[in-house]
Amino acid sequence: MTQQNHLRGVLLASSACILWGISGVAASTLFINNPHLTAMWLTQVRMISAGLILLVWGMVAGKHPFKIWHHRHAAWTAVSYGLLGLIPVQLCYFEAVRVGNAPIATIIQFLGPSIISIYYFLFKHVTPSRIELIGMIMAFIGILLIVTHGHLNSLAISPVILFWGGLSAIGVATNTLIPRTILPKYGALTVTGWGLLIAGLFLTLLQPMWRVHLTITWPQLGLLIVIILLGTVAPFLMFARSLSDILPTTASLMDAFEPLAATVFSITFLNVQLTSFDFIGGLLIILAVMALSLNTHKMLHFLRRRRAHSSS
């Protein structure tokens, strides 16, 4: 791996995360300018559109996306990934943005890696390392500062924001854990494309999007296209491409750019006011995720070795 390729991978991964952060700000702008717009409708449109685009891209690239339906386990995993992974990570995130703002929603969602570490400890019996424990404590202190602003007897943000943001953080964990068994065989393009499409169609069955009466202006349509193309399709392709130049652990460290981008653009364009507690808490959570990401590869290597040992 040359230095030039490494730099390209870092730029692709960081740019992808910045675009994800911008998509949250675009969604917040839509909710502010169109009170009739719901997080459910926006999620449906985003998922179905992006899923179809990724699957068509996969067919053009020769990935044969329909092969996943030839195997029952892979098919059920793709369905579970869409319903239990992508729906909470996207619908609940947009709900948190709608009732709150993009920076706080993104920062709370950033607790996902801590939830993954807790899952591995409780169900896989993988003892967290010292730096992982420090990271989880930092994340807890960070969210405590954001939620209470230093006053433990009262909440500084609405419990509704904390509820939806917490569900989106759990979604980050399920979104990461569920598809890991089928990604090596079928590829991220196919798995994510089907997951998005399945999730979007399922939500449409629950609440048909055509029954929502909305008046969308041209600027709002532009923001919707930004969310679909620049906030979903483009960053996914860029992040997937970056993994051929840098390690997954390095790419995951670039996730810190997502809440940073959401914060900077929200303050600049939406005049969102954040307190020093929000900034300090957000910084602690970002540092915690970086600490957890550095040890993820060790955790996965341990699990592979134990699986190989138990099957021999």
Side-chain angles (χ1 to χ4, degrees):
M1 183 186 301
T2 65
Q3 185 175 358
Q4 183 177 1
N5 288 346
H6 185 270
L7 177 61
R8 180 178 62 190
V10 169
L11 290 175
L12 284 172
S14 57
S15 298
C17 294
I18 290 173
L19 289 177
W20 275 318
I22 291 175
S23 73
V25 179
S28 184
T29 305
L30 279 176
F31 291 134
I32 292 172
N33 294 327
N34 195 333
H36 300 289
L37 183 70
T38 65
M40 173 71 82
W41 187 88
L42 182 57
T43 304
Q44 291 167 337
V45 173
R46 179 192 195 188
M47 284 181 161
I48 293 175
S49 302
L52 288 173
I53 292 172
L54 290 176
L55 290 174
V56 170
W57 190 292
M59 286 189 286
V60 173
K63 301 297 183 180
H64 306 290
F66 287 95
K67 281 187 175 181
I68 197 171
W69 300 108
H70 297 169
H71 302 88
R72 183 178 300 178
H73 169 72
W76 277 112
T77 302
V79 172
S80 300
Y81 170 52
L83 301 184
L84 302 177
L86 289 170
I87 287 180
V89 82
Q90 296 203 20
L91 175 60
C92 297
Y93 171 72
F94 277 156
E95 284 286 4
V97 171
R98 185 183 66 84
V99 299
N101 58 61
I104 296 299
T106 307
I107 289 170
I108 295 176
Q109 188 185 57
F110 229 51
L111 294 172
S114 297
I115 296 174
I116 294 175
S117 294
I118 294 172
Y119 165 81
Y120 274 110
F121 174 69
L122 294 177
F123 298 101
K124 300 295 183 181
H125 308 295
V126 178
T127 303
S129 65
R130 181 179 301 176
I131 192 170
E132 288 171 334
L133 285 173
I134 294 174
M136 285 187 281
I137 293 172
M138 289 171 60
F140 174 77
I141 295 174
I143 196 63
L144 195 65
L145 287 175
I146 292 172
V147 170
T148 66
H149 284 183
H151 302 286
L152 300 181
N153 59 342
S154 62
L155 293 179
I157 64 173
S158 169
V160 179
I161 302 175
L162 187 60
F163 172 77
W164 289 115
L167 287 182
S168 71
I170 295 174
V172 170
T174 55
N175 180 67
T176 303
L177 295 170
I178 292 175
R180 70 190 189 282
T181 58
I182 60 174
L183 280 172
K185 183 175 182 179
Y186 299 98
L189 201 63
T190 295
V191 174
T192 305
W194 281 117
L196 286 169
L197 185 59
I198 291 167
L201 293 176
F202 176 78
L203 291 179
T204 301
L205 289 176
L206 293 180
Q207 183 178 312
M209 66 174 70
W210 53 84
R211 292 183 181 176
V212 179
H213 301 289
L214 286 173
T215 300
I216 302 292
T217 64
W218 285 108
Q220 291 170 7
L221 180 61
L223 287 173
L224 186 60
I225 293 174
V226 166
I227 292 172
I228 294 170
L229 296 181
L230 295 183
T232 309
V233 176
F236 165 76
L237 295 174
M238 293 166 66
F239 197 84
R241 176 64 181 84
S242 73
L243 295 178
S244 63
D245 294 324
I246 58 178
L247 295 173
T249 48
T250 304
S252 65
L253 293 178
M254 300 300 105
D255 286 346
F257 283 97
E258 184 176 349
L260 290 176
T263 300
V264 170
F265 281 92
S266 292
I267 293 174
T268 304
F269 296 105
L270 300 180
N271 295 319
V272 171
Q273 301 296 320
L274 297 178
T275 69
S276 57
F277 289 104
D278 295 325
F279 283 110
I280 296 172
L283 179 61
L284 285 174
I285 292 174
I286 291 171
L287 292 175
V289 170
M290 295 176 71
L292 292 167
S293 299
L294 286 171
N295 284 268
T296 301
H297 68 290
K298 296 180 181 179
M299 181 190 306
L300 296 178
H301 179 66
F302 172 81
L303 289 174
R304 293 192 197 100
R305 287 183 58 188
R306 193 175 67 173
R307 190 181 300 115
H309 178 74
S310 61
S311 60
S312 60

